[in-house]
Amino acid sequence: MDGRDWGTFLLPYEQTVEELKVKFKTMRAELKKREEYTPIEFVTGRVKRLSSILEKAKRLNVRMEDLEQGIEDIAGIRIMCQFVEDIRRVAEYIRVRKDLEVVYEKDYITNYKESGYRSFHMIIRYPVQTALGQKIVLAEIQIRTLAMNFWATIEHSLNYKYRESLPDEIRLRLKTAAEAASILDSEMSSIREEILEAQKTFEENSNTTTQVLHAIHQLYFYHLVNEAIRSQEEFNEIWQRQDMEAMKELLGRVRGMISQAKKDDLPDGL
C-alpha cells in the first residue's frame, strides 16, 4: 500500500455522493409536484470503505496508482423504486442529464446473476468542483425495487460474514428468496394502477386534512374565535367518521370566512 493521504483521496468521492443525493432527491420532489407520482421512492449514497476498496483492487489486480479508473464504484448512489417499470424510467431520466455522463450500463434485471441478484447499474462520470478545481469522478448508480434492495442487502451481509464463500445451503436458500422477491415485484406490477390510485387518494385526503387545520388556525388570527371553535368541533366530528367530502366542504366554508375577514380588514375605498 502506498503512503497517500487516504482521507484527502476520498474527499471528491464524498462530495460527489452528497451532490448526487441532493440532485436525485430534488428530482423526486419535482416529479411529485409535476405528476403527483414519482418513480423514485428514496435515495441513499455511500463512499466505499477503504478496506473494501483495497480488497476489490486486489481481486481485480488494479494497481494503487490506477484506483481512480480501475475501481468504478468508490462513490455509489442507490435509487429505490416501487415498481420494476419505474427503473427504466429513472434510467432514462439519468441518460438525458447534462451534469453527468453515462459511461456504460449493466442490466442485472433482464440478465440477473446466478446468485439471484437483480439491479440496474449505471457507471457515470461526474464533474465535481473541488477547492483545487474540477475533478472528474467515476461513480456507480444502482436502481432497484424495494424487494431487490432487501434481498441484496441481506446477501451482502452474508457474503461479508463468509468472505464470499457461502455454504451451499445458504446459497440455495438465497436464490430461492431472490425468486420470491421477483414474484413479489411481478405481483405488485400487476396491480400497479390500483396501488397508485390508493396512494393518490391517501395523499389527497392527507393534504385536505392539513389544509383544514391550517385554515382553522388562521381564523384565530382574524379574531374569529367562535367560528374557529365551531369549525374545530365540526372537524373533530368529520374526522371521526372519515367523511372526506364533508371535510372538503368544511375547508371551503372556512376559507370563505378567511376571505371575508381579509376584505373587512381593507381600508374604505380600497
Side-chain angles (χ1 to χ4, degrees):
M1 186 187 301
D2 58 23
R4 77 179 74 189
D5 182 341
W6 291 100
T8 300
F9 172 78
L10 292 176
L11 279 176
Y13 296 98
E14 293 169 357
Q15 185 174 336
T16 294
V17 167
E18 292 306 312
E19 290 184 12
L20 288 175
K21 283 189 338 186
V22 169
K23 290 184 176 185
F24 289 123
K25 287 178 181 179
T26 301
M27 177 192 290
R28 179 187 188 280
E30 181 182 353
L31 289 171
K32 194 172 183 66
K33 284 186 178 180
R34 287 178 180 273
E35 305 177 22
E36 296 184 342
Y37 170 74
T38 171
I40 299 174
E41 187 69 7
F42 63 91
V43 181
T44 62
R46 62 95 185 102
V47 174
K48 212 173 187 67
R49 294 179 180 178
L50 182 55
S51 59
S52 298
I53 295 172
L54 298 177
E55 287 172 7
K56 188 165 188 177
K58 181 179 180 181
R59 188 171 70 251
L60 299 180
N61 293 317
V62 175
R63 299 181 302 174
M64 289 296 101
E65 57 267 33
D66 297 328
L67 285 179
E68 292 181 356
Q69 297 302 317
I71 307 297
E72 300 168 328
D73 63 343
I74 295 177
I77 295 294
R78 192 167 293 158
I79 300 175
M80 255 61 72
C81 305
Q82 289 193 81
F83 305 101
V84 176
E85 296 85 350
D86 293 337
I87 294 173
R88 310 292 178 187
R89 187 175 169 196
V90 171
E92 186 56 31
Y93 282 133
I94 294 172
R95 292 185 193 109
V96 300
R97 290 188 70 98
K98 302 300 183 183
D99 54 348
L100 56 82
E101 175 193 356
V102 176
V103 181
Y104 68 89
E105 303 173 1
K106 293 182 283 188
D107 184 352
Y108 294 125
I109 298 174
T110 304
N111 306 299
Y112 55 87
K113 292 185 178 181
E114 176 65 23
S115 64
Y117 177 85
R118 289 169 169 83
S119 187
F120 193 90
H121 294 191
M122 306 178 83
I123 302 300
I124 65 166
R125 290 192 184 94
Y126 180 74
V128 62
Q129 302 295 327
T130 73
L132 301 179
Q134 179 175 280
K135 182 178 180 63
I136 305 298
V137 171
L138 287 176
E140 181 182 69
I141 301 173
Q142 298 177 349
I143 316 170
R144 53 176 67 153
T145 64
L146 299 171
M148 293 174 191
N149 187 62
F150 174 71
W151 184 93
T153 301
I154 299 301
E155 190 229 17
H156 179 79
S157 299
L158 288 171
N159 271 322
Y160 183 82
K161 175 181 178 180
Y162 290 103
R163 294 293 178 181
E164 301 193 6
S165 297
L166 288 174
D168 290 340
E169 180 188 1
I170 292 180
R171 194 183 302 277
L172 179 60
R173 294 177 74 174
L174 270 176
K175 192 170 183 179
T176 301
E179 292 168 358
S182 179
I183 292 172
L184 174 61
D185 276 334
S186 296
E187 287 297 317
M188 292 300 103
S189 291
S190 70
I191 56 173
R192 182 174 186 269
E193 293 307 317
E194 287 81 358
I195 294 171
L196 293 179
E197 184 62 32
Q199 291 175 341
K200 181 181 178 182
T201 300
F202 174 81
E203 191 75 23
E204 289 175 350
N205 291 348
S206 178
N207 289 339
T208 299
T209 301
T210 301
Q211 289 167 9
V212 171
L213 290 172
H214 178 69
I216 291 173
H217 181 72
Q218 280 188 297
L219 291 176
Y220 288 102
F221 177 79
Y222 290 103
H223 308 292
L224 300 174
V225 177
N226 291 332
E227 290 84 347
I229 292 173
R230 286 196 298 269
S231 297
Q232 183 66 56
E233 289 173 349
E234 186 176 353
F235 169 87
N236 294 341
E237 181 186 338
I238 293 171
W239 176 253
Q240 285 298 321
R241 66 176 192 264
Q242 288 294 295
D243 186 344
M244 294 312 300
E245 288 304 315
M247 190 72 78
K248 292 175 184 177
E249 291 174 6
L250 174 60
L251 176 60
R253 291 199 303 275
V254 175
R255 283 178 169 172
M257 295 179 206
I258 294 170
S259 178
Q260 185 60 50
K262 288 179 178 178
K263 291 178 181 178
D264 293 343
D265 278 352
L266 288 174
D268 292 340
L270 291 180

